[in-house]
mmCIF file of all heavy atoms in Angstrom:
data_model
loop_
_atom_site.group_PDB
_atom_site.id
_atom_site.type_symbol
_atom_site.label_atom_id
_atom_site.label_comp_id
_atom_site.label_asym_id
_atom_site.label_seq_id
_atom_site.Cartn_x
_atom_site.Cartn_y
_atom_site.Cartn_z
ATOM 1 N N SER A 811 36.371 -52.924 20.023
ATOM 2 C CA SER A 811 37.225 -53.409 18.943
ATOM 3 C C SER A 811 37.759 -54.802 19.246
ATOM 4 O O SER A 811 37.998 -55.599 18.333
ATOM 5 C CB SER A 811 38.387 -52.446 18.710
ATOM 6 O OG SER A 811 39.077 -52.188 19.923
ATOM 7 N N ALA A 812 37.917 -55.113 20.538
ATOM 8 C CA ALA A 812 38.383 -56.453 20.906
ATOM 9 C C ALA A 812 37.376 -57.513 20.464
ATOM 10 O O ALA A 812 37.738 -58.639 20.140
ATOM 11 C CB ALA A 812 38.600 -56.542 22.418
ATOM 12 N N LEU A 813 36.112 -57.145 20.438
ATOM 13 C CA LEU A 813 35.068 -58.075 20.009
ATOM 14 C C LEU A 813 34.934 -58.088 18.490
ATOM 15 O O LEU A 813 34.581 -59.110 17.896
ATOM 16 C CB LEU A 813 33.726 -57.687 20.630
ATOM 17 C CG LEU A 813 33.685 -57.551 22.154
ATOM 18 C CD1 LEU A 813 32.275 -57.195 22.605
ATOM 19 C CD2 LEU A 813 34.145 -58.827 22.835
ATOM 20 N N ALA A 814 35.229 -56.976 17.849
ATOM 21 C CA ALA A 814 34.912 -56.827 16.429
ATOM 22 C C ALA A 814 36.003 -57.296 15.482
ATOM 23 O O ALA A 814 35.708 -57.726 14.370
ATOM 24 C CB ALA A 814 34.578 -55.357 16.134
ATOM 25 N N VAL A 815 37.259 -57.227 15.884
ATOM 26 C CA VAL A 815 38.352 -57.478 14.928
ATOM 27 C C VAL A 815 39.183 -58.717 15.271
ATOM 28 O O VAL A 815 40.288 -58.876 14.748
ATOM 29 C CB VAL A 815 39.278 -56.249 14.833
ATOM 30 C CG1 VAL A 815 38.493 -55.012 14.454
ATOM 31 C CG2 VAL A 815 40.034 -56.023 16.144
ATOM 32 N N THR A 816 38.668 -59.597 16.115
ATOM 33 C CA THR A 816 39.481 -60.731 16.570
ATOM 34 C C THR A 816 39.019 -62.077 16.024
ATOM 35 O O THR A 816 39.381 -63.118 16.567
ATOM 36 C CB THR A 816 39.481 -60.800 18.113
ATOM 37 O OG1 THR A 816 38.126 -60.857 18.586
ATOM 38 C CG2 THR A 816 40.182 -59.598 18.710
ATOM 39 N N SER A 817 38.207 -62.075 14.955
ATOM 40 C CA SER A 817 37.786 -63.356 14.409
ATOM 41 C C SER A 817 38.971 -64.098 13.795
ATOM 42 O O SER A 817 38.948 -65.322 13.669
ATOM 43 C CB SER A 817 36.687 -63.173 13.355
ATOM 44 O OG SER A 817 37.144 -62.357 12.294
ATOM 45 N N GLN A 818 40.014 -63.341 13.409
ATOM 46 C CA GLN A 818 41.248 -63.927 12.913
ATOM 47 C C GLN A 818 42.424 -63.194 13.543
ATOM 48 O O GLN A 818 42.305 -62.049 13.986
ATOM 49 C CB GLN A 818 41.309 -63.851 11.394
ATOM 50 C CG GLN A 818 40.293 -64.768 10.704
ATOM 51 C CD GLN A 818 40.382 -64.699 9.194
ATOM 52 O OE1 GLN A 818 40.102 -63.650 8.600
ATOM 53 N NE2 GLN A 818 40.772 -65.787 8.570
ATOM 54 N N LEU A 819 43.575 -63.850 13.546
ATOM 55 C CA LEU A 819 44.726 -63.308 14.267
ATOM 56 C C LEU A 819 45.344 -62.105 13.559
ATOM 57 O O LEU A 819 45.745 -61.143 14.216
ATOM 58 C CB LEU A 819 45.774 -64.410 14.459
ATOM 59 C CG LEU A 819 47.039 -64.025 15.245
ATOM 60 C CD1 LEU A 819 46.668 -63.489 16.620
ATOM 61 C CD2 LEU A 819 47.957 -65.243 15.378
ATOM 62 N N ALA A 822 43.753 -58.792 14.208
ATOM 63 C CA ALA A 822 43.919 -58.489 15.634
ATOM 64 C C ALA A 822 45.308 -57.909 15.895
ATOM 65 O O ALA A 822 45.459 -56.936 16.638
ATOM 66 C CB ALA A 822 43.699 -59.744 16.472
ATOM 67 N N ILE A 925 45.805 -58.741 24.574
ATOM 68 C CA ILE A 925 44.487 -59.359 24.737
ATOM 69 C C ILE A 925 43.862 -59.670 23.380
ATOM 70 O O ILE A 925 43.278 -60.733 23.174
ATOM 71 C CB ILE A 925 43.562 -58.440 25.558
ATOM 72 C CG1 ILE A 925 44.217 -58.088 26.902
ATOM 73 C CG2 ILE A 925 42.215 -59.114 25.780
ATOM 74 C CD1 ILE A 925 44.606 -59.293 27.742
ATOM 75 N N LEU A 926 44.001 -58.750 22.419
ATOM 76 C CA LEU A 926 43.480 -58.994 21.078
ATOM 77 C C LEU A 926 44.130 -60.214 20.442
ATOM 78 O O LEU A 926 43.462 -61.028 19.807
ATOM 79 C CB LEU A 926 43.703 -57.766 20.187
ATOM 80 C CG LEU A 926 42.502 -56.818 20.020
ATOM 81 C CD1 LEU A 926 42.158 -56.168 21.361
ATOM 82 C CD2 LEU A 926 42.785 -55.755 18.971
ATOM 83 N N ILE A 929 42.780 -63.515 22.051
ATOM 84 C CA ILE A 929 41.426 -63.837 21.592
ATOM 85 C C ILE A 929 41.431 -64.196 20.116
ATOM 86 O O ILE A 929 40.775 -65.156 19.691
ATOM 87 C CB ILE A 929 40.481 -62.655 21.861
ATOM 88 C CG1 ILE A 929 40.363 -62.408 23.377
ATOM 89 C CG2 ILE A 929 39.095 -62.924 21.275
ATOM 90 C CD1 ILE A 929 39.543 -61.190 23.735
ATOM 91 N N GLY A 930 42.175 -63.448 19.317
ATOM 92 C CA GLY A 930 42.250 -63.737 17.890
ATOM 93 C C GLY A 930 42.861 -65.087 17.603
ATOM 94 O O GLY A 930 42.423 -65.803 16.691
ATOM 95 N N LEU A 931 43.874 -65.466 18.373
ATOM 96 C CA LEU A 931 44.528 -66.764 18.201
ATOM 97 C C LEU A 931 43.557 -67.907 18.471
ATOM 98 O O LEU A 931 43.440 -68.849 17.672
ATOM 99 C CB LEU A 931 45.730 -66.860 19.141
ATOM 100 C CG LEU A 931 46.513 -68.174 19.138
ATOM 101 C CD1 LEU A 931 47.203 -68.367 17.793
ATOM 102 C CD2 LEU A 931 47.538 -68.191 20.262
ATOM 103 N N ARG A 933 40.215 -67.798 18.541
ATOM 104 C CA ARG A 933 39.069 -67.798 17.620
ATOM 105 C C ARG A 933 39.442 -68.346 16.249
ATOM 106 O O ARG A 933 38.693 -69.110 15.647
ATOM 107 C CB ARG A 933 38.505 -66.389 17.498
ATOM 108 C CG ARG A 933 37.830 -65.865 18.753
ATOM 109 C CD ARG A 933 37.233 -64.487 18.525
ATOM 110 N NE ARG A 933 36.069 -64.551 17.642
ATOM 111 C CZ ARG A 933 35.467 -63.479 17.143
ATOM 112 N NH1 ARG A 933 35.946 -62.268 17.403
ATOM 113 N NH2 ARG A 933 34.414 -63.604 16.360
ATOM 114 N N GLU A 934 40.607 -67.947 15.731
ATOM 115 C CA GLU A 934 40.988 -68.431 14.408
ATOM 116 C C GLU A 934 41.323 -69.917 14.436
ATOM 117 O O GLU A 934 40.948 -70.668 13.532
ATOM 118 C CB GLU A 934 42.186 -67.650 13.868
ATOM 119 C CG GLU A 934 42.573 -68.103 12.468
ATOM 120 C CD GLU A 934 43.685 -67.290 11.837
ATOM 121 O OE1 GLU A 934 44.143 -66.312 12.463
ATOM 122 O OE2 GLU A 934 44.099 -67.634 10.714
ATOM 123 N N ALA A 971 33.431 -63.936 21.051
ATOM 124 C CA ALA A 971 34.531 -63.054 21.440
ATOM 125 C C ALA A 971 34.278 -62.480 22.826
ATOM 126 O O ALA A 971 35.197 -62.352 23.645
ATOM 127 C CB ALA A 971 34.695 -61.941 20.418
#
Side-chain angles (χ1 to χ4, degrees):
S811 53
L813 305 181
V815 304
T816 55
S817 59
Q818 291 181 295
L819 182 57
I925 305 304
L926 262 65
I929 296 175
L931 178 66
R933 291 183 70 189
E934 182 175 357

